[in-house]
């Protein structure tokens, strides 16, 4: 028996009119799904019904049949199912939570999964880019292009999973026009401002800020630093893990961002001296954590962010984040003659191009050297040789 076939609802096999004659869509595609359930879809035109019959036959034959009912669940329902199956580090889970709860569900969450098309995705991206953030007094603004790109990538991954599990036939995120990223030059925090910021923090956290500015650690690396990773005799620090969360004040650790992130960072004599003084005043916490909260437990990003903002306000600064301490460290290395490869190694960048893309404008350019070279060549014109005398 055929997997799918077309029936005329208005006429029977003998050409006689049925009770449905003239009512509803005339052509019906009947088929048995992989579960052997008899199903039907109706069409106005016979050509459309025949085309659908052929599609269904092929899909069922090659195992790509998509149950029409499977896509009726909402995007939020499927996304929550998808989340439960993922194996993510704590930081990534937090990021996905923000992407879905704040940036996606308000626009796509209640829509049936199969109903979302490329226009819905493009409209959502425009909203993210222009009006997703409420500022108060009826004002809004959009997310940065990089943030929109990350959000779109995660949501596209959810739709890809839905395609792979035969919930929908295609990924509506394909071909989305994303906002272009505008290059933004890093402007390191001035040293005077850095000291003002350090002084604005409660005394317990000043060592953390100073140490990070002197080593260029990422926030998770700094929060997860334990005393056994410090080799004071050889003046070096081993960076091979980061904090991913905490339970009852005790840290949980995870791998670093990339393979290149595993590195050794030289420690200056001044840095070691300042750190030892700090640890005498604030002994290491659980698992040997060097930097801890006021209860001597593991630092949490969200709680520390509040402390950071208060310190910025007290120091009368704005626009700086914890990551700017890393930029400050890189600027010091460059200012004192470090090569691209050296800065790449200290920061744990995967490629030298990443280092150059971020900090190339901080290296001294060669414009003045070019001017000097040209001036030297053209400033002294050789004397014109005398013409030979006629014989």
């Amino acid at each position: 028996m055929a997997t799918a076939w077309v029936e005329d609802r208005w006429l029977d096999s003998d050409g006689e009119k049925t009770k449905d004659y003239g009512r509803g869509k005339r052509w019906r595609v009947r088929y048995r799904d992989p579960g052997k359930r008899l199903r039907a879809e109706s069409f106005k035109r016979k050509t459309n019904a025949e085309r659908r019959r052929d599609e269904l036959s092929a899909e069922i034959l090659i195992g790509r049949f998509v149950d029409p009912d499977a896509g009726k669940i909402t995007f939020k329902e499927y996304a929550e199912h998808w989340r439960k199956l993922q194996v993510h580090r704590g930081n990534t889970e937090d990021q996905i939570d923000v992407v879905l709860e704040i940036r996606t569900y308000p626009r796509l969450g209640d829509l049936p999964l199969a109903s979302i098309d490329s226009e819905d995705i493009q409209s959502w991206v425009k909203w993210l880019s222009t009006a997703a953030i409420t500022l108060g007094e009826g004002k809004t603004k959009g997310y940065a292009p990089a943030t929109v790109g990350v959000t779109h990538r995660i949501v596209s991954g959810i739709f890809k999973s839905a395609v792979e599990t035969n919930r929908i036939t295609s990924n509506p995120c394909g071909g989305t026009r994303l906002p272009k990223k505008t290059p933004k030059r890093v402007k390191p925090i001035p040293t005077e401002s850095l000291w003002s910021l350090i002084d604005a923090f409660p005394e317990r956290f000043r060592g953390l800020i100073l140490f990070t500015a002197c080593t260029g650690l990422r926030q998770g690396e700094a929060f997860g630093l334990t005393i056994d990773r410090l080799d004071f005799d050889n003046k070096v620090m081993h960076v091979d893990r980061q904090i991913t969360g905490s339970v009852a004040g005790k840290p949980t650790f995870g791998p670093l961002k990339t393979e290149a992130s595993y590195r050794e960072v030289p420690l200056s004599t001044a840095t070691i001296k300042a750190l030892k003084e700090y640890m005498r005043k604030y002994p290491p916490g659980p698992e040997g954590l060097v930097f801890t909260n006021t209860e001597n437990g593991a630092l949490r990003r969200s709680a520390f962010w509040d402390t950071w903002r208060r310190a910025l306000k007290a120091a009368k600064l704005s626009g700086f984040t914890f990551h700017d301490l890393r930029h400050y460290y890189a600027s010091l290395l460059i200012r004192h003659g470090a090569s691209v490869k050296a800065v790449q190694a200290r920061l744990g960048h995967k490629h030298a191009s990443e280092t150059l893309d971020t900090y190339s404008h901080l290296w001294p350019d060669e414009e003045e050297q070019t001017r000097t070279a040209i001036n030297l060549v053209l400033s002294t014109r050789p004397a014109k040789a005398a013409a030979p005398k006629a014989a």
Side-chain angles (χ1 to χ4, degrees):
M1 185 177 179
T3 305
W5 61 97
V6 175
E7 294 178 345
D8 185 347
R9 294 179 57 250
W10 292 1
L11 300 176
D12 61 22
S13 58
D14 297 325
E16 299 293 329
K17 295 179 180 178
T18 67
K19 60 182 177 61
D20 295 322
Y21 185 83
R23 296 164 55 190
K25 297 175 181 178
R26 178 172 181 176
W27 302 99
R28 179 166 58 195
V29 179
R30 301 289 296 273
Y31 62 97
R32 292 191 180 278
D33 65 21
K36 304 303 179 183
R37 287 186 298 172
L38 187 62
R39 294 175 174 270
E41 297 178 20
S42 298
F43 299 85
K44 288 183 179 180
R45 300 176 60 189
K46 185 177 182 180
T47 53
N48 291 343
E50 290 174 338
R51 184 182 303 114
R52 181 57 177 154
R53 174 200 62 196
D54 295 341
E55 289 174 353
L56 284 165
S57 297
E59 289 171 2
I60 294 171
L61 180 65
I62 64 175
R64 294 295 297 170
F65 171 75
V66 175
D67 187 340
D69 295 331
K72 290 182 180 179
I73 66 170
T74 65
F75 174 81
K76 182 176 181 178
E77 288 172 330
Y78 182 76
E80 291 302 311
H81 167 73
W82 172 86
R83 287 174 75 175
K84 292 176 183 176
L85 301 178
Q86 305 309 302
V87 180
H88 288 139
R89 296 186 307 205
N91 295 343
T92 304
E93 288 179 355
D94 292 343
Q95 180 187 45
I96 291 174
D97 184 63
V98 171
V99 164
L100 294 177
E101 297 288 347
I102 297 177
R103 304 178 196 159
T104 308
Y105 288 164
R107 300 284 290 199
L108 302 178
D110 295 332
L111 298 179
L113 189 66
S115 74
I116 300 173
D117 58 22
S118 58
E119 288 188 0
D120 294 319
I121 298 298
Q122 194 65 60
S123 175
W124 164 65
V125 165
K126 183 176 181 181
W127 173 74
L128 285 173
S129 306
T130 60
I133 305 172
T134 302
L135 299 175
E137 299 180 358
K139 296 179 181 179
T140 60
K141 72 172 185 176
Y143 289 103
T147 303
V148 174
V150 169
T151 302
H152 178 270
R153 175 175 55 79
I154 290 173
V155 170
S156 180
I158 294 173
F159 279 111
K160 181 182 178 183
S161 173
V163 172
E164 292 172 348
T165 55
N166 293 337
R167 291 274 185 173
I168 54 177
T169 57
S170 61
N171 185 345
C173 291
T176 306
R177 297 185 304 279
L178 297 173
K180 291 183 179 179
K181 299 178 183 178
T182 52
K184 185 179 179 181
R185 286 191 165 189
V186 167
K187 187 177 180 181
I189 183 172
T191 299
E192 299 78 9
S193 298
L194 174 63
W195 282 115
S196 297
L197 179 62
I198 291 172
D199 291 339
F201 269 91
E203 187 176 0
R204 183 181 195 95
F205 301 119
R206 292 174 188 170
L208 166 65
I209 307 305
L210 179 60
F211 184 79
T212 305
C214 292
T215 56
L217 296 180
R218 297 180 177 93
Q219 188 174 33
E221 296 168 348
F223 285 10
L225 177 64
T226 50
I227 195 168
D228 58 342
R229 264 60 181 178
L230 296 168
D231 183 351
F232 290 142
D233 292 335
N234 293 304
K235 297 182 179 180
V236 71
M237 171 177 56
H238 304 282
V239 184
D240 60 359
R241 63 181 181 176
Q242 64 177 327
I243 195 169
T244 57
S246 64
V247 179
K250 293 184 177 181
T252 56
F253 299 101
L256 297 178
K257 186 178 179 182
T258 65
E259 252 184 63
S261 299
Y262 294 82
R263 62 198 188 279
E264 290 186 351
V265 177
L267 299 175
S268 69
T269 301
T271 301
I272 292 173
K273 181 180 178 182
L275 188 59
K276 284 183 175 180
E277 289 177 359
Y278 171 84
M279 289 193 294
R280 273 195 293 270
K281 193 163 190 176
Y282 301 102
E287 305 291 336
L289 283 176
V290 175
F291 302 110
T292 56
N293 60 25
T294 53
E295 298 176 353
N296 204 37
L299 288 164
R300 296 177 62 88
R301 290 171 185 262
S302 56
F304 188 79
W305 174 237
D306 291 335
T307 306
W308 178 273
R309 286 188 295 184
R310 287 194 295 269
L312 278 182
K313 186 176 180 179
K316 297 180 180 180
L317 298 171
S318 63
F320 294 112
T321 67
F322 194 93
H323 202 74
D324 282 297
L325 302 175
R326 182 169 164 85
H327 294 325
Y328 178 81
Y329 172 72
S331 72
L332 287 184
L333 298 182
I334 295 168
R335 192 185 311 164
H336 291 279
S339 67
V340 174
K341 293 299 289 183
V343 176
Q344 175 193 353
R346 300 294 174 261
L347 295 178
H349 285 165
K350 188 174 182 180
H351 301 292
S353 59
E354 181 182 355
T355 310
L356 284 169
D357 288 345
T358 309
Y359 303 112
S360 60
H361 62 288
L362 297 181
W363 266 279
D365 60 41
E366 298 180 354
E367 290 181 2
E368 196 56 41
Q369 288 177 268
T370 302
R371 296 187 186 102
T372 302
I374 300 301
N375 286 338
L376 285 173
V377 171
L378 299 181
S379 61
T380 54
R381 183 175 178 177
K384 190 175 182 179
K389 293 181 179 181

Coordinates of all heavy atoms in Angstrom, one line a residue, residues 114-187:
A114 N 6.6 25.8 15.3 CA 6.5 25.6 13.9 C 6.0 26.9 13.1 O 6.2 27.0 11.9 CB 5.6 24.4 13.5
S115 N 5.4 27.8 13.9 CA 4.8 29.0 13.2 C 5.9 30.1 13.1 O 5.7 31.1 12.3 CB 3.7 29.6 14.1 OG 4.1 30.2 15.3
I116 N 7.0 30.0 13.7 CA 8.0 31.0 13.7 C 8.8 31.0 12.4 O 9.4 29.9 12.1 CB 9.0 30.9 14.9 CG1 8.2 31.0 16.2 CG2 10.1 32.0 14.8 CD1 9.1 30.8 17.4
D117 N 8.8 32.0 11.6 CA 9.4 32.0 10.3 C 10.6 33.1 10.3 O 10.8 33.8 11.3 CB 8.5 32.3 9.2 CG 7.7 33.6 9.3 OD1 8.2 34.5 10.0 OD2 6.6 33.7 8.7
S118 N 11.2 33.2 9.2 CA 12.4 34.1 9.1 C 12.0 35.6 9.3 O 12.8 36.4 9.9 CB 13.0 34.0 7.7 OG 12.1 34.3 6.7
E119 N 10.8 36.0 9.0 CA 10.3 37.3 9.3 C 10.2 37.6 10.8 O 10.5 38.7 11.2 CB 9.0 37.6 8.5 CG 9.2 37.8 7.0 CD 7.9 38.2 6.4 OE1 6.9 38.4 7.1 OE2 7.8 38.4 5.1
D120 N 9.7 36.6 11.5 CA 9.6 36.7 12.9 C 11.0 36.9 13.6 O 11.2 37.7 14.5 CB 8.9 35.5 13.5 CG 7.5 35.3 13.1 OD1 6.8 36.4 13.1 OD2 7.1 34.2 12.9
I121 N 11.9 36.1 13.1 CA 13.3 36.2 13.6 C 13.9 37.6 13.3 O 14.5 38.2 14.1 CB 14.2 35.1 13.0 CG1 13.6 33.7 13.5 CG2 15.6 35.3 13.5 CD1 13.6 33.5 15.0
Q122 N 13.7 38.1 12.0 CA 14.3 39.4 11.6 C 13.6 40.5 12.5 O 14.3 41.4 12.9 CB 14.0 39.6 10.2 CG 14.8 40.8 9.6 CD 16.3 40.5 9.6 OE1 16.8 39.5 9.0 NE2 17.1 41.3 10.3
S123 N 12.3 40.4 12.7 CA 11.7 41.4 13.6 C 12.2 41.4 15.0 O 12.4 42.4 15.6 CB 10.1 41.1 13.6 OG 9.5 42.0 14.4
W124 N 12.4 40.2 15.5 CA 13.0 40.0 16.9 C 14.4 40.6 16.9 O 14.7 41.3 17.9 CB 13.0 38.6 17.2 CG 13.8 38.2 18.4 CD1 13.7 38.5 19.7 CD2 15.0 37.3 18.3 NE1 14.7 37.9 20.5 CE2 15.5 37.2 19.7 CE3 15.7 36.6 17.3 CZ2 16.6 36.4 20.0 CZ3 16.8 35.8 17.6 CH2 17.2 35.8 19.0
V125 N 15.2 40.4 15.9 CA 16.6 40.9 15.9 C 16.6 42.5 15.8 O 17.4 43.1 16.5 CB 17.4 40.4 14.7 CG1 18.6 41.2 14.4 CG2 17.8 38.9 14.9
K126 N 15.6 43.0 15.1 CA 15.5 44.5 15.0 C 15.1 45.0 16.4 O 15.6 46.0 16.8 CB 14.5 44.9 14.0 CG 14.3 46.4 13.8 CD 13.4 46.8 12.8 CE 13.3 48.3 12.6 NZ 12.4 48.7 11.6
W127 N 14.2 44.3 17.1 CA 13.8 44.8 18.4 C 15.0 44.7 19.4 O 15.3 45.6 20.2 CB 12.7 43.8 18.9 CG 12.3 44.1 20.4 CD1 11.6 45.1 20.9 CD2 12.6 43.2 21.5 NE1 11.4 44.9 22.2 CE2 12.1 43.8 22.6 CE3 13.3 42.0 21.6 CZ2 12.2 43.2 23.9 CZ3 13.4 41.4 22.9 CH2 12.9 42.0 24.0
L128 N 15.8 43.6 19.3 CA 17.0 43.5 20.1 C 18.0 44.7 19.9 O 18.6 45.2 20.8 CB 17.7 42.2 19.9 CG 17.1 40.9 20.4 CD1 17.9 39.7 19.9 CD2 17.2 40.9 21.9
S129 N 18.1 45.1 18.6 CA 19.1 46.1 18.2 C 18.6 47.5 18.5 O 19.5 48.4 18.5 CB 19.3 45.9 16.7 OG 19.7 44.6 16.4
T130 N 17.3 47.7 18.7 CA 16.8 49.1 18.8 C 16.0 49.4 20.0 O 16.1 50.5 20.5 CB 15.9 49.4 17.6 OG1 14.8 48.5 17.5 CG2 16.7 49.3 16.3
A131 N 15.3 48.4 20.6 CA 14.3 48.8 21.6 C 14.2 47.8 22.7 O 13.2 47.8 23.5 CB 13.0 49.1 21.0
A132 N 15.1 46.9 22.9 CA 14.9 45.8 23.9 C 15.2 46.2 25.3 O 14.7 45.5 26.3 CB 15.8 44.6 23.5
I133 N 15.9 47.3 25.6 CA 16.3 47.7 26.9 C 15.4 48.9 27.3 O 15.4 49.9 26.6 CB 17.8 48.1 27.0 CG1 18.6 46.9 26.5 CG2 18.1 48.5 28.4 CD1 20.1 47.2 26.4
T134 N 14.7 48.8 28.4 CA 13.9 49.9 28.9 C 14.7 50.8 29.8 O 15.4 50.4 30.7 CB 12.7 49.4 29.7 OG1 11.9 48.5 28.8 CG2 11.8 50.5 30.2
L135 N 14.7 52.1 29.5 CA 15.5 53.1 30.2 C 14.7 53.9 31.2 O 15.2 54.5 32.1 CB 16.2 54.0 29.2 CG 17.2 53.4 28.2 CD1 17.7 54.5 27.3 CD2 18.4 52.7 28.9
G136 N 13.4 53.8 31.1 CA 12.5 54.6 31.9 C 12.0 55.8 31.2 O 12.6 56.2 30.2
E137 N 11.0 56.4 31.6 CA 10.4 57.6 31.0 C 10.0 57.3 29.6 O 10.1 58.2 28.7 CB 11.3 58.8 31.1 CG 11.6 59.2 32.6 CD 12.5 60.4 32.7 OE1 12.9 60.9 31.6 OE2 12.8 60.9 33.8
G138 N 9.6 56.1 29.3 CA 9.3 55.7 27.9 C 10.4 55.6 26.9 O 10.2 55.4 25.7
K139 N 11.6 55.6 27.4 CA 12.8 55.6 26.5 C 13.4 54.1 26.5 O 13.3 53.4 27.5 CB 13.9 56.5 27.0 CG 13.5 58.0 26.9 CD 14.6 58.9 27.4 CE 14.2 60.4 27.3 NZ 15.3 61.2 27.8
T140 N 13.9 53.8 25.3 CA 14.5 52.4 25.2 C 15.8 52.5 24.4 O 16.0 53.6 23.7 CB 13.5 51.5 24.4 OG1 13.2 52.0 23.1 CG2 12.2 51.3 25.2
K141 N 16.5 51.5 24.4 CA 17.7 51.4 23.5 C 17.9 49.9 23.2 O 17.3 49.0 23.8 CB 18.9 52.0 24.2 CG 19.5 51.2 25.3 CD 20.8 51.8 25.8 CE 21.5 50.9 26.8 NZ 22.8 51.5 27.3
G142 N 18.8 49.7 22.2 CA 19.1 48.3 21.8 C 20.4 47.8 22.4 O 21.2 48.5 23.0
Y143 N 20.6 46.5 22.2 CA 21.9 45.8 22.7 C 22.9 46.1 21.6 O 22.7 46.4 20.4 CB 21.7 44.3 22.8 CG 20.8 43.9 24.0 CD1 19.5 43.6 23.9 CD2 21.4 44.0 25.3 CE1 18.7 43.2 25.0 CE2 20.6 43.6 26.4 CZ 19.3 43.2 26.2 OH 18.5 42.9 27.3
A144 N 24.2 45.9 22.0 CA 25.3 46.1 21.1 C 25.3 45.0 20.1 O 24.8 43.9 20.3 CB 26.6 46.0 21.9
P145 N 25.8 45.2 18.9 CA 25.8 44.2 17.8 C 26.4 42.9 18.3 O 25.9 41.8 17.9 CB 26.6 44.8 16.7 CG 26.4 46.3 16.9 CD 26.3 46.5 18.4
A146 N 27.5 42.9 19.1 CA 28.1 41.6 19.5 C 27.1 40.9 20.4 O 27.0 39.6 20.3 CB 29.4 41.9 20.3
T147 N 26.4 41.6 21.3 CA 25.4 40.9 22.1 C 24.3 40.3 21.3 O 23.8 39.2 21.6 CB 24.9 41.9 23.2 OG1 25.9 42.5 23.9 CG2 23.9 41.2 24.1
V148 N 23.8 41.1 20.3 CA 22.7 40.5 19.4 C 23.2 39.3 18.7 O 22.5 38.3 18.6 CB 22.3 41.6 18.4 CG1 21.3 41.1 17.4 CG2 21.7 42.8 19.1
G149 N 24.5 39.3 18.3 CA 25.0 38.1 17.6 C 25.1 36.9 18.5 O 24.7 35.8 18.0
V150 N 25.5 37.1 19.7 CA 25.6 35.9 20.6 C 24.2 35.4 20.9 O 23.9 34.2 20.9 CB 26.3 36.3 21.9 CG1 26.1 35.2 23.0 CG2 27.7 36.6 21.7
T151 N 23.2 36.3 21.1 CA 21.8 35.9 21.4 C 21.3 35.1 20.2 O 20.6 34.1 20.4 CB 21.0 37.2 21.7 OG1 21.5 37.9 22.8 CG2 19.6 36.8 22.0
H152 N 21.5 35.6 19.0 CA 21.0 35.0 17.8 C 21.6 33.6 17.7 O 20.9 32.6 17.3 CB 21.3 35.9 16.6 CG 20.8 35.3 15.3 ND1 21.6 34.5 14.5 CD2 19.6 35.3 14.6 CE1 21.0 34.1 13.5 NE2 19.8 34.6 13.5
R153 N 22.9 33.5 18.0 CA 23.6 32.2 17.8 C 23.0 31.1 18.7 O 22.8 30.0 18.3 CB 25.1 32.4 18.1 CG 25.9 31.1 18.0 CD 27.3 31.3 18.2 NE 27.7 32.1 19.4 CZ 27.7 31.6 20.6 NH1 27.4 30.3 20.8 NH2 28.0 32.3 21.6
I154 N 22.7 31.5 20.0 CA 22.1 30.6 20.9 C 20.7 30.1 20.5 O 20.4 28.9 20.5 CB 22.1 31.2 22.3 CG1 23.6 31.3 22.8 CG2 21.3 30.3 23.3 CD1 23.7 32.0 24.2
V155 N 19.9 31.1 20.1 CA 18.5 30.8 19.7 C 18.5 29.9 18.4 O 17.8 29.0 18.3 CB 17.7 32.1 19.5 CG1 16.4 31.8 18.8 CG2 17.5 32.7 20.9
S156 N 19.5 30.2 17.5 CA 19.6 29.4 16.3 C 19.9 28.0 16.6 O 19.5 27.1 16.0 CB 20.6 30.1 15.4 OG 20.8 29.3 14.2
G157 N 20.8 27.8 17.6 CA 21.1 26.5 18.1 C 19.9 25.7 18.6 O 19.8 24.5 18.4
I158 N 19.0 26.4 19.2 CA 17.8 25.7 19.7 C 16.9 25.3 18.5 O 16.4 24.2 18.5 CB 17.0 26.7 20.6 CG1 17.8 27.0 21.9 CG2 15.6 26.1 21.0 CD1 17.3 28.0 22.8
F159 N 16.8 26.2 17.6 CA 16.0 25.8 16.4 C 16.7 24.7 15.6 O 16.0 23.8 15.0 CB 15.8 27.0 15.4 CG 14.7 27.9 15.9 CD1 15.0 29.2 16.3 CD2 13.4 27.5 15.8 CE1 13.9 30.0 16.7 CE2 12.3 28.4 16.1 CZ 12.6 29.6 16.6
K160 N 18.0 24.7 15.6 CA 18.7 23.6 14.9 C 18.4 22.3 15.6 O 18.2 21.2 14.9 CB 20.2 23.9 14.9 CG 21.1 22.8 14.3 CD 22.6 23.1 14.4 CE 23.4 22.0 13.7 NZ 24.9 22.3 13.9
S161 N 18.4 22.3 16.9 CA 18.1 21.0 17.6 C 16.6 20.6 17.3 O 16.4 19.4 17.2 CB 18.2 21.3 19.1 OG 17.7 20.2 19.9
A162 N 15.7 21.5 17.1 CA 14.3 21.2 16.8 C 14.2 20.6 15.4 O 13.4 19.7 15.2 CB 13.5 22.5 16.9
V163 N 15.1 21.0 14.5 CA 15.1 20.4 13.2 C 15.7 19.0 13.3 O 15.1 18.1 12.7 CB 16.0 21.3 12.2 CG1 16.2 20.5 10.9 CG2 15.3 22.6 12.0
E164 N 16.7 18.8 14.0 CA 17.4 17.5 14.1 C 16.5 16.5 14.8 O 16.6 15.3 14.5 CB 18.7 17.7 14.9 CG 19.8 18.4 14.1 CD 21.0 18.7 15.0 OE1 20.9 18.5 16.2 OE2 22.0 19.2 14.4
T165 N 15.6 16.9 15.6 CA 14.7 16.0 16.3 C 13.3 16.0 15.7 O 12.3 15.5 16.2 CB 14.5 16.4 17.8 OG1 14.1 17.8 17.9 CG2 15.8 16.3 18.6
N166 N 13.2 16.5 14.4 CA 12.0 16.4 13.6 C 10.8 17.1 14.2 O 9.7 16.7 14.1 CB 11.7 15.0 13.3 CG 12.7 14.3 12.4 OD1 13.4 15.0 11.7 ND2 12.7 13.0 12.4
R167 N 11.1 18.2 14.9 CA 10.0 19.1 15.4 C 9.6 20.0 14.4 O 8.4 20.4 14.3 CB 10.5 19.8 16.6 CG 10.8 19.0 17.9 CD 9.5 18.8 18.6 NE 9.7 18.1 19.9 CZ 8.8 17.9 20.8 NH1 7.6 18.4 20.6 NH2 9.0 17.3 21.9
I168 N 10.5 20.6 13.6 CA 10.2 21.5 12.5 C 11.1 21.1 11.3 O 12.0 20.3 11.4 CB 10.6 22.9 12.9 CG1 12.0 23.1 13.4 CG2 9.5 23.4 14.0 CD1 12.4 24.5 13.8
T169 N 10.7 21.6 10.1 CA 11.4 21.2 8.9 C 12.7 22.0 8.6 O 13.6 21.5 7.9 CB 10.5 21.3 7.7 OG1 10.0 22.7 7.6 CG2 9.3 20.4 7.9
S170 N 12.8 23.3 9.1 CA 13.9 24.1 8.8 C 14.2 25.1 9.9 O 13.3 25.4 10.7 CB 13.7 24.9 7.5 OG 12.6 25.7 7.5
N171 N 15.4 25.7 9.9 CA 15.8 26.6 10.9 C 15.5 28.1 10.4 O 16.1 28.5 9.5 CB 17.3 26.5 11.2 CG 17.8 27.4 12.3 OD1 17.1 28.3 12.8 ND2 19.0 27.2 12.8
P172 N 14.5 28.8 11.1 CA 14.2 30.1 10.6 C 15.2 31.1 10.8 O 15.1 32.3 10.3 CB 12.9 30.4 11.4 CG 13.1 29.7 12.7 CD 13.8 28.4 12.3
C173 N 16.3 30.8 11.5 CA 17.4 31.8 11.8 C 18.4 31.9 10.6 O 19.2 32.7 10.6 CB 18.1 31.4 13.1 SG 17.2 31.7 14.6
G174 N 18.2 30.9 9.7 CA 19.1 31.0 8.5 C 18.9 32.2 7.7 O 17.8 32.5 7.3
G175 N 20.0 32.9 7.4 CA 19.8 34.1 6.5 C 19.4 35.4 7.2 O 19.2 36.4 6.6
T176 N 19.4 35.4 8.5 CA 19.0 36.6 9.3 C 20.1 37.7 9.0 O 21.3 37.4 9.0 CB 19.0 36.3 10.8 OG1 18.0 35.2 11.0 CG2 18.5 37.5 11.5
R177 N 19.6 38.9 8.8 CA 20.6 40.0 8.7 C 20.8 40.6 10.1 O 20.0 41.2 10.7 CB 20.0 41.1 7.8 CG 19.7 40.6 6.4 CD 19.2 41.7 5.5 NE 18.0 42.4 6.0 CZ 16.8 41.9 5.8 NH1 16.6 40.8 5.2 NH2 15.8 42.6 6.3
L178 N 22.1 40.4 10.5 CA 22.5 40.9 11.9 C 23.1 42.2 11.8 O 23.7 42.6 10.8 CB 23.4 39.8 12.5 CG 22.8 38.5 12.8 CD1 23.9 37.5 13.2 CD2 21.7 38.5 13.8
P179 N 23.0 43.0 12.9 CA 23.7 44.3 12.9 C 25.2 44.2 12.8 O 25.8 43.2 13.3 CB 23.3 44.9 14.2 CG 22.9 43.8 15.1 CD 22.3 42.8 14.1
K180 N 25.8 45.1 12.0 CA 27.3 45.0 11.9 C 28.0 45.5 13.1 O 27.6 46.5 13.8 CB 27.7 45.9 10.7 CG 27.3 45.3 9.3 CD 27.8 46.1 8.2 CE 27.4 45.5 6.9 NZ 27.9 46.4 5.7
K181 N 29.1 44.8 13.5 CA 29.9 45.2 14.6 C 30.7 46.4 14.2 O 31.4 46.3 13.2 CB 30.7 44.0 15.1 CG 30.0 42.8 15.6 CD 30.9 41.7 16.0 CE 30.2 40.5 16.4 NZ 31.1 39.4 16.7
T182 N 30.7 47.4 15.0 CA 31.6 48.6 14.7 C 32.8 48.5 15.6 O 32.7 48.3 16.8 CB 30.8 49.9 15.1 OG1 30.3 49.8 16.4 CG2 29.7 50.1 14.1
P183 N 34.0 48.5 15.0 CA 35.2 48.4 15.7 C 35.3 49.4 16.9 O 35.0 50.6 16.7 CB 36.3 48.7 14.7 CG 35.7 48.4 13.4 CD 34.2 48.8 13.6
K184 N 35.6 49.0 18.1 CA 35.7 49.8 19.2 C 37.1 49.7 19.8 O 37.5 48.7 20.3 CB 34.7 49.4 20.3 CG 34.6 50.4 21.5 CD 33.5 50.0 22.4 CE 33.5 50.9 23.6 NZ 32.4 50.5 24.6
R185 N 37.8 50.8 19.8 CA 39.2 50.8 20.3 C 39.2 50.8 21.8 O 38.4 51.6 22.5 CB 39.9 52.1 19.8 CG 40.3 52.0 18.4 CD 41.3 53.1 18.0 NE 41.9 52.9 16.8 CZ 43.0 53.6 16.3 NH1 43.4 54.6 17.0 NH2 43.5 53.3 15.2
V186 N 40.0 49.9 22.4 CA 40.1 49.8 23.8 C 40.8 51.1 24.3 O 41.8 51.5 23.8 CB 40.9 48.6 24.2 CG1 41.3 48.6 25.7 CG2 40.1 47.3 24.0
K187 N 40.2 51.7 25.3 CA 40.9 52.9 26.0 C 41.2 52.5 27.4 O 40.3 52.5 28.3 CB 40.0 54.1 25.9 CG 40.6 55.4 26.4 CD 39.7 56.6 26.2 CE 40.4 57.8 26.7 NZ 39.5 59.0 26.5

